[in-house]
mmCIF file of all heavy atoms in Angstrom:
data_model
loop_
_atom_site.group_PDB
_atom_site.id
_atom_site.type_symbol
_atom_site.label_atom_id
_atom_site.label_comp_id
_atom_site.label_asym_id
_atom_site.label_seq_id
_atom_site.Cartn_x
_atom_site.Cartn_y
_atom_site.Cartn_z
ATOM 1 N N SER M 108 -58.904 8.326 -22.546
ATOM 2 C CA SER M 108 -59.238 6.900 -22.505
ATOM 3 C C SER M 108 -60.750 6.789 -22.319
ATOM 4 O O SER M 108 -61.426 7.791 -22.046
ATOM 5 C CB SER M 108 -58.526 6.202 -21.340
ATOM 6 O OG SER M 108 -59.092 6.615 -20.115
ATOM 7 N N GLY M 109 -61.245 5.564 -22.418
ATOM 8 C CA GLY M 109 -62.671 5.338 -22.168
ATOM 9 C C GLY M 109 -63.013 5.656 -20.714
ATOM 10 O O GLY M 109 -64.064 6.226 -20.419
ATOM 11 N N PHE M 110 -62.111 5.264 -19.820
ATOM 12 C CA PHE M 110 -62.330 5.550 -18.392
ATOM 13 C C PHE M 110 -62.446 7.067 -18.181
ATOM 14 O O PHE M 110 -63.352 7.564 -17.512
ATOM 15 C CB PHE M 110 -61.147 4.979 -17.593
ATOM 16 C CG PHE M 110 -61.460 4.645 -16.162
ATOM 17 C CD1 PHE M 110 -61.363 3.348 -15.690
ATOM 18 C CD2 PHE M 110 -61.850 5.636 -15.269
ATOM 19 C CE1 PHE M 110 -61.644 3.044 -14.357
ATOM 20 C CE2 PHE M 110 -62.146 5.344 -13.942
ATOM 21 C CZ PHE M 110 -62.041 4.044 -13.487
ATOM 22 N N ASN M 113 -65.789 8.562 -19.413
ATOM 23 C CA ASN M 113 -66.883 8.450 -18.449
ATOM 24 C C ASN M 113 -66.703 9.419 -17.285
ATOM 25 O O ASN M 113 -67.655 10.081 -16.863
ATOM 26 C CB ASN M 113 -66.993 7.009 -17.931
ATOM 27 C CG ASN M 113 -67.777 6.136 -18.894
ATOM 28 O OD1 ASN M 113 -68.719 6.599 -19.548
ATOM 29 N ND2 ASN M 113 -67.400 4.867 -18.998
ATOM 30 N N HIS M 134 -69.719 -0.774 -15.915
ATOM 31 C CA HIS M 134 -68.270 -0.748 -15.690
ATOM 32 C C HIS M 134 -67.890 0.162 -14.515
ATOM 33 O O HIS M 134 -68.556 1.163 -14.246
ATOM 34 C CB HIS M 134 -67.606 -0.224 -16.973
ATOM 35 C CG HIS M 134 -66.132 -0.372 -16.993
ATOM 36 N ND1 HIS M 134 -65.279 0.688 -16.790
ATOM 37 C CD2 HIS M 134 -65.345 -1.449 -17.197
ATOM 38 C CE1 HIS M 134 -64.028 0.267 -16.884
ATOM 39 N NE2 HIS M 134 -64.041 -1.029 -17.135
ATOM 40 N N SER M 136 -65.749 2.412 -14.269
ATOM 41 C CA SER M 136 -65.552 3.826 -14.604
ATOM 42 C C SER M 136 -66.870 4.595 -14.538
ATOM 43 O O SER M 136 -66.889 5.785 -14.209
ATOM 44 C CB SER M 136 -64.937 3.974 -15.999
ATOM 45 O OG SER M 136 -65.725 3.344 -16.981
ATOM 46 N N GLU M 178 -74.459 -0.363 -20.575
ATOM 47 C CA GLU M 178 -73.458 -0.690 -21.596
ATOM 48 C C GLU M 178 -74.197 -1.309 -22.776
ATOM 49 O O GLU M 178 -75.182 -2.020 -22.576
ATOM 50 C CB GLU M 178 -72.432 -1.695 -21.042
ATOM 51 C CG GLU M 178 -71.581 -1.107 -19.945
ATOM 52 C CD GLU M 178 -70.534 -2.086 -19.394
ATOM 53 O OE1 GLU M 178 -70.154 -3.042 -20.094
ATOM 54 O OE2 GLU M 178 -70.120 -1.871 -18.256
ATOM 55 N N SER M 182 -69.243 -5.958 -20.519
ATOM 56 C CA SER M 182 -67.840 -6.338 -20.699
ATOM 57 C C SER M 182 -67.493 -7.689 -20.110
ATOM 58 O O SER M 182 -66.590 -8.358 -20.594
ATOM 59 C CB SER M 182 -66.932 -5.268 -20.106
ATOM 60 O OG SER M 182 -67.224 -5.075 -18.743
ATOM 61 N N ASP M 207 -72.460 2.992 -22.867
ATOM 62 C CA ASP M 207 -71.020 2.800 -23.043
ATOM 63 C C ASP M 207 -70.855 1.667 -24.051
ATOM 64 O O ASP M 207 -71.202 0.516 -23.778
ATOM 65 C CB ASP M 207 -70.373 2.463 -21.692
ATOM 66 C CG ASP M 207 -68.855 2.364 -21.801
ATOM 67 O OD1 ASP M 207 -68.354 2.045 -22.895
ATOM 68 O OD2 ASP M 207 -68.180 2.593 -20.779
ATOM 69 N N ALA M 209 -68.089 0.411 -25.323
ATOM 70 C CA ALA M 209 -66.673 -0.010 -25.372
ATOM 71 C C ALA M 209 -66.490 -1.306 -26.161
ATOM 72 O O ALA M 209 -65.547 -1.444 -26.925
ATOM 73 C CB ALA M 209 -66.135 -0.179 -23.945
ATOM 74 N N HIS M 210 -67.389 -2.265 -25.953
ATOM 75 C CA HIS M 210 -67.216 -3.578 -26.599
ATOM 76 C C HIS M 210 -68.128 -3.763 -27.807
ATOM 77 O O HIS M 210 -68.250 -4.875 -28.320
ATOM 78 C CB HIS M 210 -67.456 -4.696 -25.574
ATOM 79 C CG HIS M 210 -66.464 -4.646 -24.461
ATOM 80 N ND1 HIS M 210 -65.245 -5.261 -24.516
ATOM 81 C CD2 HIS M 210 -66.498 -3.977 -23.273
ATOM 82 C CE1 HIS M 210 -64.574 -5.015 -23.398
ATOM 83 N NE2 HIS M 210 -65.309 -4.233 -22.630
ATOM 84 N N THR M 226 -64.601 3.608 -26.359
ATOM 85 C CA THR M 226 -63.148 3.572 -26.235
ATOM 86 C C THR M 226 -62.492 3.339 -27.587
ATOM 87 O O THR M 226 -63.117 2.767 -28.494
ATOM 88 C CB THR M 226 -62.721 2.471 -25.247
ATOM 89 O OG1 THR M 226 -61.299 2.422 -25.202
ATOM 90 C CG2 THR M 226 -63.228 1.109 -25.652
ATOM 91 N N SER M 228 -59.604 1.705 -27.474
ATOM 92 C CA SER M 228 -58.568 0.758 -27.043
ATOM 93 C C SER M 228 -58.967 -0.697 -27.231
ATOM 94 O O SER M 228 -58.198 -1.579 -26.880
ATOM 95 C CB SER M 228 -58.246 1.004 -25.568
ATOM 96 O OG SER M 228 -59.397 0.770 -24.792
ATOM 97 N N LYS M 229 -60.147 -0.932 -27.794
ATOM 98 C CA LYS M 229 -60.564 -2.335 -27.960
ATOM 99 C C LYS M 229 -60.565 -2.651 -29.463
ATOM 100 O O LYS M 229 -59.493 -2.800 -30.047
ATOM 101 C CB LYS M 229 -61.875 -2.570 -27.231
ATOM 102 C CG LYS M 229 -61.699 -2.198 -25.741
ATOM 103 C CD LYS M 229 -62.766 -2.654 -24.849
ATOM 104 C CE LYS M 229 -62.677 -2.024 -23.461
ATOM 105 N NZ LYS M 229 -61.535 -2.432 -22.638
ATOM 106 N N GLY M 235 -57.435 5.585 -26.107
ATOM 107 C CA GLY M 235 -58.239 6.812 -26.126
ATOM 108 C C GLY M 235 -59.696 6.466 -25.880
ATOM 109 O O GLY M 235 -60.077 5.287 -25.846
HETATM 110 C C1 PLP B 1 -67.527 -0.911 -20.564
HETATM 111 C C2 PLP B 1 -66.193 -0.275 -20.450
HETATM 112 N N1 PLP B 1 -66.115 1.052 -20.318
HETATM 113 C C3 PLP B 1 -64.938 1.682 -20.227
HETATM 114 C C4 PLP B 1 -63.763 0.981 -20.261
HETATM 115 C C5 PLP B 1 -62.472 1.741 -20.143
HETATM 116 O O1 PLP B 1 -61.956 1.983 -21.406
HETATM 117 P P1 PLP B 1 -60.396 2.333 -21.549
HETATM 118 O O2 PLP B 1 -59.679 1.036 -21.469
HETATM 119 O O3 PLP B 1 -60.282 3.000 -22.865
HETATM 120 O O4 PLP B 1 -60.064 3.231 -20.409
HETATM 121 C C6 PLP B 1 -63.795 -0.412 -20.407
HETATM 122 C C7 PLP B 1 -62.594 -1.254 -20.449
HETATM 123 O O5 PLP B 1 -61.497 -1.039 -20.147
HETATM 124 C C8 PLP B 1 -65.030 -1.061 -20.506
HETATM 125 O O6 PLP B 1 -65.106 -2.380 -20.615
#
Side-chain angles (χ1 to χ4, degrees):
S108 71
F110 205 118
N113 278 326
H134 191 256
S136 57
E178 293 181 23
S182 58
D207 185 333
H210 297 273
T226 177
S228 62
K229 303 194 191 292

